[in-house]
Amino acid sequence: MKRKYYLLAVIAGISLCISGLLLARVLFMHFDPLRVQDEQTETETLMEKTEISAAQVEQEGSEASAADNGQIEDAEDDVAAVCEMVRAIDFNVDQPHMELTEEEDRAYKEAFLRLLKSELPIEGYPEVYYYVDLWKGSTFDELLERRDSDFPAYYYDDIDGDGKPELGVTWGCVYFFDYELGEEVCDISYWGESSYFKGVMGVGKIWEHDDQHAWIERFRYIVLNDAGKWETVLDFELCFAEDEEERIYTSSYRINGVHVEKEIWEELTPPFYEAIEHGIPRKTMTEVFGELLEVDK
């Protein structure tokens, strides 16, 4: 009987020892100093990375802010440059003045009639081209049928300032033709869409009006530069938007692609709008060629 109790006590002691060893191992594993050190190292590394990231964000934010300020300064510089350029432009209309003898005047008109009849070739093409071959050109009979109409419209004036007449024709496209007396060929000095072309603002000046695109209206000021080429020097743009009540309003103003305030727009554009009211008048075919048309009948 005593032996039995003794064995039970031994077994219980062994079990207690084993339990103690297992508990110690678990505690040792849980509080392993190397593991704790690794976790501390990871935590410190993460904190360092966080601090570095925060510094980078702050630096990038400062750089972005500086870039934004630079863009604002650039925009201000652009506005100042546009204002200076527009203020320097002389929008006064220089009316053409020609001093031709009757013989010279008749010779020019006869040559331009030959052009419209597709008898006088046009220079500047790889082949021989005539008026009827031009984009949106027409036959002379079609033009003659509308001899007293304001469309097509014609110009017979000194458009480029050389003292000699050029012929302008608006029919689908607008073309300005140069011709030298005695030559057997003419030249195109300017061409564009007649839907945009609005008129000649005097010698060496043309203007266009483009209102055929949604939410934007454009006015272009085109001049003859020192190289004898027509060049767009001003592009006025009105940009529109629609409010919640479906009312259209002017949302922004641009000059040569640069956004300007309404006050600047209202200061700079009136001379242009005033000038376009005093351009060179258009003529009908009959007004230009008169009795020469009767000769061709």
Side-chain angles (χ1 to χ4, degrees):
M1 188 69 168
K2 290 181 180 180
R3 183 178 178 82
K4 180 179 180 181
Y5 285 120
Y6 176 77
L7 291 173
L8 290 174
V10 170
I11 293 171
I14 292 172
S15 300
L16 182 61
C17 289
I18 293 172
S19 299
L21 289 173
L22 291 174
L23 178 62
R25 180 175 178 80
V26 170
L27 291 174
F28 181 80
M29 291 178 63
H30 183 72
F31 294 105
D32 183 358
L34 294 177
R35 184 176 178 181
V36 170
Q37 183 178 0
D38 291 341
E39 291 177 352
Q40 288 176 345
T41 301
E42 292 177 0
T43 302
E44 291 173 355
T45 302
L46 180 61
M47 291 177 65
E48 291 175 357
K49 289 182 177 179
T50 302
E51 292 174 356
I52 292 173
S53 298
Q56 289 176 341
V57 170
E58 182 178 358
Q59 180 180 0
E60 291 173 357
S62 299
E63 292 175 352
S65 177
D68 291 341
N69 290 335
Q71 291 176 358
I72 292 174
E73 291 175 359
D74 290 343
E76 292 174 349
D77 291 342
D78 290 341
V79 171
V82 163
C83 291
E84 182 179 359
M85 181 192 68
V86 178
R87 292 187 184 113
I89 292 177
D90 180 9
F91 289 104
N92 290 325
V93 176
D94 298 322
Q95 294 294 339
H97 179 69
M98 298 186 298
E99 293 183 359
L100 302 175
T101 65
E102 292 185 9
E103 291 77 10
E104 289 173 334
D105 181 60
R106 185 180 183 91
Y108 276 111
K109 290 179 178 178
E110 288 176 343
F112 286 133
L113 274 178
R114 290 178 57 208
L115 166 71
L116 298 179
K117 293 176 183 179
S118 296
E119 296 174 356
L120 182 69
I122 300 168
E123 191 177 35
Y125 293 89
E127 307 174 23
V128 175
Y129 272 71
Y130 294 90
Y131 181 77
V132 71
D133 300 318
L134 296 176
W135 185 48
K136 297 187 179 181
S138 63
T139 67
F140 184 70
D141 288 339
E142 290 174 326
L143 297 175
L144 199 59
E145 288 176 0
R146 305 177 65 88
R147 58 192 294 174
D148 296 315
S149 172
D150 57 1
F151 185 79
Y154 298 83
Y155 292 92
Y156 176 75
D157 286 290
D158 178 17
I159 306 300
D160 60 9
D162 64 356
K164 297 172 289 187
E166 288 77 48
L167 179 71
V169 185
T170 64
W171 175 269
C173 279
V174 55
Y175 294 98
F176 283 87
F177 299 97
D178 284 331
Y179 173 73
E180 295 292 335
L181 288 179
E183 298 289 334
E184 284 301 316
V185 67
C186 69
D187 184 32
I188 296 176
S189 65
Y190 171 84
W191 77 274
E193 287 275 8
S194 60
S195 57
Y196 300 150
F197 174 85
K198 295 304 175 185
V200 180
M201 298 170 60
V203 176
K205 302 174 183 178
I206 291 173
W207 73 286
E208 294 181 344
H209 181 209
D210 177 6
D211 60 353
Q212 300 185 34
H213 298 82
W215 307 109
I216 191 166
E217 182 178 7
R218 298 182 178 93
F219 297 86
R220 298 185 184 95
Y221 181 61
I222 305 168
V223 303
L224 197 64
N225 61 26
D226 294 337
K229 303 297 183 181
W230 292 97
E231 175 186 5
T232 301
V233 295
L234 280 179
D235 197 335
F236 296 120
E237 295 182 352
L238 291 166
C239 304
F240 303 100
E242 188 175 14
D243 62 17
E244 295 179 354
E245 298 180 1
E246 299 184 352
R247 291 179 300 188
I248 306 299
Y249 66 96
T250 304
S251 61
S252 62
Y253 306 83
R254 291 198 298 241
I255 301 177
N256 288 6
V258 177
H259 287 273
V260 299
E261 297 296 330
K262 180 180 180 181
E263 293 75 13
I264 294 177
W265 176 276
E266 292 178 344
E267 173 200 347
L268 298 180
T269 56
F272 169 79
Y273 289 133
E274 173 67 20
I276 63 178
E277 298 295 329
H278 304 283
I280 300 174
R282 305 181 184 202
K283 300 178 175 69
T284 66
M285 191 180 198
T286 298
E287 289 173 333
V288 173
F289 297 104
E291 64 179 14
L292 292 178
L293 296 178
E294 303 296 331
V295 174
D296 290 321
K297 284 188 175 181

